[in-house]
Amino acid sequence: MTLPKTLRHVQTQHGDASVDVENIFLFSANLHTAGVASTNEAELGAESDAESVTPIAIKSQEIKSTDGVWTYEASEDCGSQLATIAEASLEQLLEKRKASDETEATEPKKPKLETKDLKLTRPGFSEERYDETSYYIENGLRKVYPYSFTFTTFTKGRWVGEGILDVFSREFRAQPPEEYKRSIEAGNLTVNYEKVPVDYRLKHNDLLANTVHRHEVPVTAQPISIVHIDDDILVVNKPASIPVHPCGRYRHNTVIFILAKEYNLKNLRTIHRLDRLTSGLLLFGRNSEKARQMEQQIRNRQVQKEYVCCVEGHFPDGIIECNEPIEVVSYKIGVCKVSKKGKDCQTTFKRIAQAGDYSIVQCKPLTGRMHQIRVHLQYLGYPIVNDPLYNHEVFGPLKGRGGDTGGKSDDQLISDLISIHNAENWLGIDKEIAAYSTKNQDVTAPNTNDDNQTLIKSTRDSKVTIWTQTSHEPADMHFDASKVTKDPHCIECTMNYRDPNPEDLVMYLHAWKYKGVGWEYETELPSWASGDQDHITLGLRNKRC
């Protein structure tokens, strides 16, 4: 049997150019020798013992080199010797496996940590998520009773090798570092569901789980009205202030959860999204096939979208087209701007009404970039009147008109957004909670003002919703102290929050009409879009005070 010297390339295994065939054969021979030497005499025969086996094994495997080619030659009795060696090796292997099995039987095997198994045990992947807490209506707001919740996330690549406390202090700013340290020491913040020391360094595929006492931000109590429903699709009119799906400080106070908990509409597939403060048409697939079909139409720009907004100033006559590219400045806080480095973007605008110093404008985005309408209106110099982000001097004296941000770099712009307006509140994460003096007041104390109760009743009865179709239990219409839970380590349990004004929960941008291949949906226009200046100024009065 002849083997070339470079028969097998093992560069990917050892970083070597070729295999040293001679050493492989010699090593193999020595292994066989050792195996035979350790075998019982009865198994090898009366004439075979440890001393006689060694020369026989080596003699039966002669290796010669001729002109760079290694040759392996077996002696005439090699077959019987190899058979004996194989038999002995097999028995040794069986004995080893038997011993291993006995050890495993006596020592409980620790469950293997696998991503797939962890996913099944992570919170939020079962029907139980809807039963974590419930709603109550107070002062025209939908509120959530505090509840315990476990946040989970797998370690991101950039976190590997960093301390767990450092990562949570930097990446998750909902709590101060001291609270994360306490949680780690108490075993509430775990890695792969096991308690770790404070100085633990994260590894690839580590599953981080942090159990907290969660207080959600209130949203409007205005009901989600059904525009269209059938076996394939659900179309709703989303009120402003309600996020589409769980994010940040919102979970149960989201469209997805409200539809599931109160309307019994579950397993919906999100086809597109609206900003939290934007109202209007929102489409869901009721099966994966329909959702994919609708998503494909949107992706291929086969869907005509029409929005309406209220902007500052006298918007020009005629159709105004803006083709400026838009770049995401920060995904983390959700800020965009017009930039040559951005993606192609196209929006057409047309004034449809004038209300004093305000203009009602029809908007048709031909592309689907983040904050596209808001950024293009800022660039044109006609920002949405109550846009908390793109209608502010933080973008410079001209508020971003013509792309002028006052010479600020992207980093400076982000820094100013955070420092000037406390980004967690002002950028829409928890704007509504503006906390005041904390420890001596009871956060659970309900507002019992009769006027507020009247407002709540009129909010619910003003429009018939799907509640009457499904007979599903609605939110509590008054605060129920028996449903409140408290955590002695929860900072928010010691705080009392001011309820947001209704004006804080809306931005004058509404998704009005959507038209695709074989379908078309439309909502009623909100009151501020009627062109009546009184409706606009009434909605802005308290906000500007």
Side-chain angles (χ1 to χ4, degrees):
M1 177 178 173
T2 303
L3 296 173
K5 189 169 184 179
T6 58
L7 177 67
R8 183 183 178 196
H9 196 283
V10 288
Q11 186 173 2
T12 56
Q13 301 178 31
H14 307 288
D16 210 341
S18 60
V19 176
D20 188 340
V21 181
E22 179 181 13
N23 286 335
I24 288 179
F25 282 128
L26 290 176
F27 181 66
S28 176
N30 289 332
L31 284 178
H32 291 316
T33 301
V36 174
S38 63
T39 309
N40 189 281
E41 289 185 6
E43 296 173 325
L44 292 175
E47 298 180 356
S48 299
D49 56 21
E51 294 180 358
S52 61
V53 168
T54 302
I56 292 174
I58 297 177
K59 181 180 178 182
S60 65
Q61 302 178 63
E62 297 180 3
I63 303 169
K64 300 179 180 179
S65 176
T66 306
D67 298 330
V69 177
W70 294 95
T71 305
Y72 168 84
E73 295 180 358
S75 63
E76 57 184 11
D77 62 343
C78 181
S80 60
Q81 294 178 11
L82 289 176
T84 304
I85 293 169
E87 182 181 352
S89 299
L90 178 61
E91 291 192 12
Q92 282 184 305
L93 179 61
L94 292 175
E95 289 294 329
K96 184 177 179 181
R97 287 183 177 176
K98 183 178 179 181
S100 176
D101 291 341
E102 291 175 353
T103 302
E104 291 181 359
T106 57
E107 296 181 5
K109 187 176 181 181
K110 191 174 182 179
K112 185 177 180 182
L113 198 62
E114 294 183 355
T115 301
K116 189 174 182 180
D117 294 336
L118 285 172
K119 184 175 181 181
L120 295 176
T121 61
R122 288 171 60 183
F125 283 84
S126 68
E127 289 293 311
E128 295 177 359
R129 59 187 169 184
Y130 301 124
D131 299 327
E132 293 167 338
T133 185
S134 56
Y135 304 110
Y136 66 99
I137 306 299
E138 182 181 67
N139 196 24
L141 299 171
R142 175 185 295 274
K143 298 182 179 181
V144 175
Y145 293 104
Y147 59 99
S148 293
F149 178 75
T150 301
F151 288 93
T152 57
T153 182
F154 284 99
T155 297
K156 301 182 185 301
R158 67 176 184 271
W159 301 348
V160 173
E162 291 193 63
I164 184 173
L165 181 58
D166 294 335
V167 169
F168 269 80
S169 300
R170 181 185 69 245
E171 301 284 342
F172 307 100
R173 296 173 295 169
Q175 301 289 343
E178 296 77 16
E179 177 59 20
Y180 287 125
K181 181 180 179 182
R182 187 202 64 78
S183 296
I184 296 171
E185 293 173 340
N188 293 330
L189 203 172
T190 62
V191 178
N192 302 323
Y193 293 113
E194 294 182 355
K195 186 176 179 180
V196 296
V198 175
D199 60 354
Y200 177 85
R201 294 194 173 276
L202 299 177
K203 302 180 181 65
H204 284 291
N205 295 325
D206 274 349
L207 177 63
L208 310 179
N210 186 29
T211 301
V212 300
H213 194 236
R214 192 165 185 178
H215 295 247
E216 290 199 27
V217 178
V219 299
T220 179
Q222 181 183 350
I224 301 172
S225 59
I226 307 300
V227 176
H228 172 82
I229 186 171
D230 58 34
D231 292 339
D232 295 322
I233 194 168
L234 169 69
V235 185
V236 303
N237 186 1
K238 182 186 90 69
S241 82
I242 308 178
V244 175
H245 51 71
C247 58
R249 296 194 53 152
Y250 300 88
R251 178 170 171 82
H252 289 265
N253 260 348
T254 60
V255 175
I256 288 289
F257 269 71
I258 294 171
L259 290 175
K261 289 162 68 76
E262 294 191 351
Y263 296 12
N264 202 25
L265 293 169
K266 302 178 180 179
N267 301 317
L268 300 175
R269 278 77 171 177
T270 304
I271 295 173
H272 70 110
R273 295 172 176 82
L274 295 176
D275 292 339
R276 182 179 65 87
L277 293 178
T278 302
S279 59
L281 280 173
L282 188 59
L283 282 63
F284 296 97
R286 301 194 70 186
N287 55 68
S288 56
E289 181 179 356
K290 187 63 175 181
R292 284 194 298 268
Q293 177 187 342
M294 301 288 280
E295 288 172 359
Q296 191 67 29
Q297 290 187 27
I298 293 176
R299 191 176 300 111
N300 294 337
R301 299 183 182 177
Q302 296 175 296
V303 176
Q304 300 174 30
K305 295 177 281 187
E306 192 170 330
Y307 290 69
V308 63
C309 67
C310 178
V311 304
E312 290 184 347
H314 292 256
F315 200 83
D317 293 330
I319 296 177
I320 305 300
E321 186 173 306
C322 186
N323 298 315
E324 297 296 328
I326 290 179
E327 175 190 16
V328 178
V329 178
S330 171
Y331 284 100
K332 188 164 187 175
I333 63 175
V335 180
C336 303
K337 72 172 186 178
V338 166
S339 169
K340 293 180 180 179
K341 297 182 294 183
K343 296 182 179 180
D344 67 294
C345 212
Q346 185 178 5
T347 316
T348 62
F349 301 97
K350 181 181 179 181
R351 189 185 68 198
I352 57 178
Q354 189 70 41
D357 294 331
Y358 308 109
S359 302
I360 307 301
V361 178
Q362 174 197 62
C363 318
K364 293 183 178 181
L366 304 182
T367 50
R369 307 303 178 200
M370 179 179 175
H371 296 173
Q372 176 174 325
I373 293 174
R374 299 164 66 185
V375 174
H376 272 176
L377 285 169
Q378 178 198 49
Y379 181 85
L380 294 173
Y382 301 94
I384 295 174
V385 292
N386 51 0
D387 189 328
L389 176 57
Y390 298 104
N391 188 7
H392 197 275
E393 291 81 2
V394 71
F395 280 90
L398 299 180
K399 295 197 249 186
R401 180 174 186 173
D404 187 347
T405 58
K408 294 182 181 180
S409 65
D410 289 350
D411 290 340
Q412 184 61 51
L413 178 60
I414 295 172
S415 176
D416 288 350
L417 286 171
I418 294 174
S419 61
I420 294 176
H421 286 280
N422 188 1
E424 284 90 354
N425 296 334
W426 181 71
L427 293 178
I429 298 174
D430 54 4
K431 175 180 174 61
E432 295 82 355
I433 62 175
Y436 66 90
S437 175
T438 61
K439 297 187 178 179
N440 297 321
Q441 302 191 40
D442 185 0
V443 68
T444 64
N447 189 333
T448 56
N449 185 295
D450 292 339
D451 293 337
N452 290 333
Q453 296 299 322
T454 304
L455 175 60
I456 295 168
K457 186 176 188 301
S458 64
T459 300
R460 183 185 181 188
D461 296 342
S462 60
K463 197 164 190 176
V464 176
T465 71
I466 203 169
W467 284 338
T468 57
Q469 302 175 32
T470 64
S471 299
H472 209 69
E473 184 179 359
D476 295 343
M477 297 312 296
H478 58 84
F479 177 82
D480 186 349
S482 67
K483 294 185 178 181
V484 175
T485 61
K486 286 191 175 183
D487 183 338
H489 299 292
C490 176
I491 296 175
E492 292 189 71
C493 280
T494 66
M495 302 180 73
N496 195 355
Y497 295 113
R498 173 188 65 81
D499 280 343
N501 295 317
E503 297 78 22
D504 297 325
L505 302 180
V506 64
M507 178 174 61
Y508 288 170
L509 176 62
H510 180 82
W512 184 16
K513 302 176 183 178
Y514 276 28
K515 181 179 181 181
V517 180
W519 56 270
E520 181 176 1
Y521 303 108
E522 178 180 344
T523 70
E524 299 176 352
L525 284 173
S527 59
W528 53 260
S530 64
D532 186 344
Q533 185 175 0
D534 290 339
H535 283 292
I536 299 173
T537 54
L538 179 63
L540 297 175
R541 186 176 301 153
N542 291 333
K543 191 175 185 67
R544 293 187 182 279
C545 291

